[in-house]
Every structure is written in structure tokens, then in C-alpha cells.
Amino acid sequence: MTRASQIITLHDLIHLSQTEHYTAKRAYYAKIVRPTVQRSGLVLTVSETSKSAIENWLDDPTVTVINAGNGCSSAFLSADRIHLSKPDRTKYFLYVGNSKPHKNLKLLLSSIAMNRSLNLKIVSNDVSQIQSMCRETATENQVEIKSDITDDDLAVLYANAVATVIPSSVEGFGLPAVESLAVGAPVVYWHGCESVREIVGERGIAIDRLSTEELSSALTALSHGEGAPVTVSAEWKERYSWDNVASNVHTAIVDLASGPPRLDRS
């Protein structure tokens, strides 16, 4: 076992909240991940939500958990909705992400199905899985799926959307929320998803219940308007720049290197 100081990065603990392979993952985190973290004594993560979850899971005051933040591409941070927007005759909502259960994509599709005038564009590499979900919810004619697109093209999709929809029940961070707000597009999300709420604050539309009816109602109401543009400050954008994340990581490393020698806890 090395005596060199080590820093562990944990994005989140979502794996431990999922039922699929739950026993195996719980055992792995208990037998492998937790001892490794405890030997390190320092964990970097990406949000205050993840920081709190990791601290509660560890229940070890000798381990320091630091929120170093997370960044997004300059394609979003240096752009705005006005400059990116292109004429689009069809109003649409945007979903960016995979099809894992905690993302609640099927709930979003069911919400779209309740109002046949609603349209949704999905950016994901889980094309076949999502196509199957569209067939199950009979939303093939309301949904367009895109994959393998550039950040510049994605920024345009955000900018032209009525809003970005993030129906997740849990997230470690919530990158689509940052990308969407950075170009001025509002975000619709469930208020119980703490990490997304942490990013969005008062700049989005939070639904109280994670239900098809409430989500469909919120999207329908938004579709009747143009989607209120969102403005974020330069300070807000700087918070989610990779330069800021690098600075936070650098500070953590310097502090660790300049601190008292760590005991070998192996």
C-alpha cells in the first residue's frame, strides 16, 4: 500500500439508490470504495447535494469531502440564446440524457402523450431503448431523437427550445441544466431533485409532484407562451467553467500537500 497522499473523486452515490444489481453494488461500495476513501481522507465531488450524500454515507468525521464543482463546454458559456436562435416553425421541448430509470424519461414521454400538440427533441445515444419507449407511449410522431451531435449544435437546440425538461428523481449534478441556462433557455424539473434545484434556483419551473399529469400541465402552459428567456450573470457562468473547477482541485491538492503528514491507515 502506497504511503503517498491520495485524492478520491466520487461523482455521486446514485448507484446505491437503484434496485438493479443493488446488492452487488452495495457490497462493492462497502468493501472496496469506503475503505479506499477512508485511507485517502479526502474526497472531491461535483455538487453540494453529492457532498452531503457522501458525508452521510461515510459517517466518518476524519474524511473531508470537498465540492470542487463541475464544468461545461465554452460552447454554452460563451453563447446566449439570442445569438444562437434560428427560425424554427415547430415549438419543442428538449431532453438531454440517457434512458436510465432515475431519469424518468418514460414519464416525460407519457406526459407528452397527454397533449398531442406537444413536441419533444431528445439528444441521447440510447436510441434503440428510447425508440422502444416511444412505441410503448405512442409518441413516435411527437418525438425526434438525435445522437452524436457537437456541443455547438446542442447549444442551438437548447436555444430554440421552449424549455429543457429534466424529470429526474435524483442526479449527482445535472449538466443539461447548466448548459440550458447558460444559453438562456429555462429548465422544467421536479423540485425534489436537489442537485438540479441547486443549479437552477429561481431560474426554472419546478413541478411539485413527479407525475405525468403535473408535468404535462406545466409543459402545456409553457407551450402557449414563448418560454421566458433566462439571464445568468458572468459570475454564475464562471462558477461552471472548467477553469474554476481546476482552481478548486488545485487548492485541494495544495492544502493536502501542505497539511500534516497523514497516518498510514492501511
Side-chain angles (χ1 to χ4, degrees):
M1 181 65 65
T2 178
R3 290 179 177 271
S5 298
Q6 294 180 309
I7 298 177
I8 307 300
T9 299
L10 281 178
H11 188 280
D12 57 60
L13 297 176
I14 291 177
H15 308 80
L16 301 184
S17 66
Q18 306 305 301
T19 56
E20 185 181 8
H21 307 306
Y22 174 78
T23 301
K25 289 176 180 177
R26 187 175 183 180
Y28 174 76
Y29 271 72
K31 300 295 185 181
I32 304 297
V33 178
R34 181 183 276 115
T36 302
V37 167
Q38 290 174 323
R39 283 194 298 270
S40 166
L42 178 61
V43 182
L44 299 183
T45 191
V46 295
S47 68
E48 288 300 309
T49 300
S50 285
K51 178 177 182 291
S52 177
I54 293 168
E55 288 175 336
N56 290 336
W57 171 68
L58 285 170
D59 192 23
D60 186 342
T62 68
V63 179
T64 300
V65 183
I66 295 176
N67 171 22
N70 206 356
C72 77
S73 167
S74 60
F76 309 100
L77 296 178
S78 62
D80 61 64
R81 193 171 192 177
I82 294 175
H83 292 115
L84 287 171
S85 185
K86 296 179 180 179
D88 193 320
R89 295 179 180 178
T90 304
K91 288 184 179 181
Y92 66 88
F93 291 91
L94 183 66
Y95 171 87
V96 180
N98 57 52
S99 59
K100 291 181 179 179
H102 69 276
K103 300 286 188 177
N104 292 316
L105 178 54
K106 193 168 183 181
L107 181 144
L108 172 56
L109 292 172
S110 297
S111 299
I112 293 292
M114 294 182 71
N115 184 341
R116 294 300 177 182
S117 69
L118 298 178
N119 295 285
L120 177 68
K121 292 188 179 183
I122 296 175
V123 177
S124 178
N125 289 328
D126 294 351
V127 176
S128 60
Q129 298 95 316
I130 294 173
Q131 287 174 333
S132 177
M133 288 183 182
C134 288
R135 287 192 293 271
E136 290 177 30
T137 54
T139 53
E140 301 101 311
N141 295 330
Q142 295 172 261
V143 176
E144 179 182 356
I145 305 170
K146 295 178 176 289
S147 62
D148 298 320
I149 66 174
T150 66
D151 284 345
D152 289 333
D153 288 339
L154 180 55
V156 173
L157 285 175
Y158 279 120
N160 285 289
V162 176
T164 300
V165 189
I166 305 177
S168 302
S169 53
V170 60
E171 290 286 350
F173 181 67
L175 184 58
V178 176
E179 294 172 340
S180 182
L181 294 175
V183 303
V187 174
V188 180
Y189 69 103
W190 176 52
H191 86 284
C193 188
E194 296 179 4
S195 59
V196 174
R197 188 174 71 238
E198 182 181 327
I199 293 168
V200 176
E202 300 298 322
R203 304 176 190 88
I205 299 92
I207 59 172
D208 293 328
R209 293 186 303 115
L210 199 51
S211 69
T212 54
E213 294 79 7
E214 185 158 345
L215 183 54
S216 182
S217 178
L219 299 184
T220 298
L222 273 175
S223 69
H224 293 322
E226 294 299 325
V230 173
T231 301
V232 294
S233 66
E235 291 77 15
W236 186 94
K237 289 187 177 183
E238 173 61 24
R239 183 189 313 161
Y240 297 109
S241 71
W242 283 115
D243 284 344
N244 184 60
V245 176
S247 177
N248 292 338
V249 173
H250 177 265
T251 298
I253 293 173
V254 170
D255 288 347
L256 178 63
S258 61
R262 290 192 54 80
L263 297 175
D264 183 2
R265 301 174 63 174
S266 58

